[in-house]
DNA sequence: GATACGTGGAC
DNA sequence: TGTCCAAGTAT
């Protein structure tokens, strides 16, 4: 085994984080279902945010077969607030694909890579952690650790092939899953984006980037400014219930329950019409930052009583005293909070 | 390779 | 307070 890998595993044996989806260092791996579920939730999402969602999903759908027969609406609602909702849609598609093969996950990186929602990272992570395959697990933590070890001047994303080659070279045949998790723990607790704790690092003696200033690595391209968009959302209330719709299956907040809106997501100009003609009044503004634009959402309150003109089968009346269960994404949860606060 | 796709925490 | 960013994937 490579000496660097050995140092890292020794460090992991002493310092591994205790996480709900993880086995202790050297212990038999968790069930593939748990590894897969946690890895999908952890895509671009912090450990702290995932914790309660992982517990909720595992309690409600203890096995992949349970998840495969779940109602889409329940799964989407359970995912609400976690973000990147394509993950929830792919989670269901993947569970059903696994159920179709008897509820048994494929055990190789290449076969896992064919499942919905499993890209290069997740396929390698599940293969290494759940099945002990020697696969190159490269996430943002590992990229940072590797770029610093090599003092890699080439900027991302072009540097990824060199990083992947280095990670593959370092990954041991013994305990590849622990090695992957050790690299990620190191990146998140020691080799951090800002103020890395080199004095605590088990790989300091191997690190080319330490002397040059580890924070220089990895080199990243400049960020683009986020444009601003405006839109309107429509609050229609009747007898202690609000009118909710289901968003289209793709695109922004796809597949999620929502307030009706004017199409800001698709057009960006907020040109769409309210679902009811008649009297509307402004009810405040919600500001919400998405990955690639900032939204200023004008909440519009309906003050008429022509509810029967709502297009049938395009939405549902949802009781206000159970609004938490609707599974609104954060943007619309904020808007609902505003609408209900205005009534006081 | 570039872009769309959420959210909340850290500093 | 605004900026950066996180266990990425699909197209």
């Amino acid at each position: 085994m490579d000496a660097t890998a050995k140092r890292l595993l020794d460090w992991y044996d002493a310092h591994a984080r205790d996480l709900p989806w993880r086995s202790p260092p050297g212990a038999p791996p968790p069930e593939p279902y748990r590894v897969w579920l946690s890895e999908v939730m952890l895509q671009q999402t912090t450990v702290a945010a995932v914790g309660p969602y992982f517990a909720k999903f595992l309690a409600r759908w203890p096995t992949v077969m349970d998840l495969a027969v779940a109602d889409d609406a329940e799964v989407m609602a359970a995912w609400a607030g976690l973000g990147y909702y394509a993950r929830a849609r792919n989670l269901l598609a993947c569970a059903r694909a696994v159920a179709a093969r008897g509820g048994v996950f494929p055990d190789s990186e290449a076969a896992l890579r064919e499942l919905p929602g499993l890209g290069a990272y997740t396929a390698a992570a599940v293969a290494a952690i759940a099945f002990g395959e020697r696969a190159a697990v490269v996430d943002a933590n590992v990229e940072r650790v590797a770029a610093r070890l090599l003092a890699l001047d080439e900027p991302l994303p072009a540097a990824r092939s060199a990083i992947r080659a280095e990670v593959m070279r370092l990954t041991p045949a013994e305990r590849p899953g622990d090695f992957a998790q050790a690299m990620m723990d190191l990146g998140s607790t020691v080799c951090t984006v800002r103020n890395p704790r080199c004095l605590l690092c088990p790989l300091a003696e191997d690190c080319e980037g330490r002397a040059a200033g580890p924070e220089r690595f990895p080199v990243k391209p400049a960020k683009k400014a986020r444009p601003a968009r405006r839109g309107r959302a429509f609050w229609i209330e009747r007898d202690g219930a609000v009118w909710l719709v289901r968003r289209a299956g793709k695109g922004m907040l796809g597949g999620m329950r929502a307030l009706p809106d004017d199409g800001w997501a698709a057009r960006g100009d907020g040109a769409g019409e309210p679902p009811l003609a008649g009297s509307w009044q402004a009810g405040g503004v919600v500001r919400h930052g998405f990955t690639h634009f900032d939204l200023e959402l004008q909440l519009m309150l309906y003050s008429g009583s022509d509810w029967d003109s709502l297009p049938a089968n395009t939405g549902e009346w949802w009781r206000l005293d159970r609004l938490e269960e609707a599974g609104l994404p954060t943007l619309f949860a904020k808007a609902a909070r505003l609408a209900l606060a205005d009534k006081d």
Side-chain angles (χ1 to χ4, degrees):
Chain A
M1 184 185 302
D2 182 274
T4 303
K6 177 65 163 61
R7 277 190 277 276
L8 184 65
L9 282 173
D10 287 346
W11 173 84
Y12 187 68
D13 287 339
H15 297 101
R17 286 181 293 174
D18 182 15
L19 301 173
W21 45 84
R22 183 183 270 187
S23 290
E31 301 164 35
Y33 175 60
R34 295 180 182 227
V35 176
W36 163 72
L37 180 62
S38 64
E39 289 299 342
V40 172
M41 288 183 167
L42 286 161
Q43 290 166 6
Q44 295 286 288
T45 307
T46 58
V47 164
V50 166
Y53 285 86
F54 180 77
K56 175 168 65 177
F57 270 68
L58 206 56
R60 194 154 178 186
W61 300 291
T63 71
V64 69
M65 297 301 273
D66 297 316
L67 186 57
V69 298
D71 287 337
D72 292 41
E74 284 190 35
V75 173
M76 299 309 290
W79 196 276
L82 200 54
Y84 283 147
Y85 299 101
R87 291 184 295 171
R89 304 194 297 271
N90 285 328
L91 192 80
L92 263 173
C94 181
R96 288 164 185 166
V98 172
R101 46 194 315 287
V104 179
F105 278 86
D107 63 359
S108 74
E109 178 185 17
L112 287 160
R113 182 68 181 80
E114 299 303 311
L115 293 170
L118 280 83
Y121 163 77
T122 307
V126 175
I129 297 170
F131 297 112
E133 180 174 341
R134 184 172 172 275
V137 179
V138 183
D139 75 330
N141 288 304
V142 178
E143 273 182 0
R144 187 170 57 254
V145 171
R148 289 173 179 174
L149 280 173
L150 298 172
L152 211 54
D153 284 314
E154 185 180 22
L156 293 175
R160 294 219 162 98
S161 63
I163 289 172
R164 183 184 166 77
E166 174 68 0
V167 172
M168 197 67 234
R169 188 185 73 74
L170 285 174
T171 301
E174 302 294 319
R175 304 177 62 192
D178 280 352
F179 175 83
Q181 293 175 95
M183 286 284 277
M184 294 190 279
D185 273 17
L186 189 72
S188 61
T189 64
V190 174
C191 194
T192 47
V193 175
R194 288 175 295 270
N195 303 315
R197 300 164 174 82
C198 297
L199 291 175
L200 300 179
C201 183
L203 307 186
E205 64 188 282
D206 306 305
C207 187
E208 299 288 336
R210 185 183 174 189
E215 286 178 289
R216 297 206 304 114
F217 308 104
V219 180
K220 293 185 178 182
K223 293 247 187 294
K224 295 173 185 174
R226 283 195 302 192
R229 287 194 201 175
R230 292 184 181 185
R232 291 174 297 164
F234 303 108
W235 183 267
I236 306 168
E237 200 175 315
R238 176 187 194 178
D239 299 334
V242 62
W243 182 252
L244 299 182
V245 299
R246 169 90 46 199
R247 295 178 65 81
K250 293 186 176 180
M252 285 294 299
L253 312 177
M256 300 299 287
R257 246 182 222 115
L259 296 178
D261 66 40
D262 63 359
W264 53 267
R267 288 188 294 280
D269 62 357
E273 293 301 312
L276 277 178
S279 36
W280 292 89
Q281 58 192 63
V285 168
V286 173
R287 295 175 207 286
H288 192 74
F290 290 105
T291 307
H292 53 297
F293 63 91
D294 290 314
L295 179 66
E296 182 179 306
L297 188 70
Q298 171 71 61
L299 182 64
M300 301 301 294
L301 308 173
Y302 181 63
S303 52
S305 54
D306 189 21
W307 301 295
D308 292 334
S309 296
L310 282 169
N313 303 320
T314 61
E316 58 190 323
W317 292 107
W318 195 275
R319 290 174 54 109
L320 291 176
D321 57 6
R322 297 181 58 182
L323 198 53
E324 295 297 317
E325 300 163 38
L328 294 176
T330 300
L331 168 68
F332 293 113
K334 284 183 185 175
R337 202 147 50 232
L338 184 60
L340 296 172
D342 274 1
K343 294 161 45 142
D344 296 337

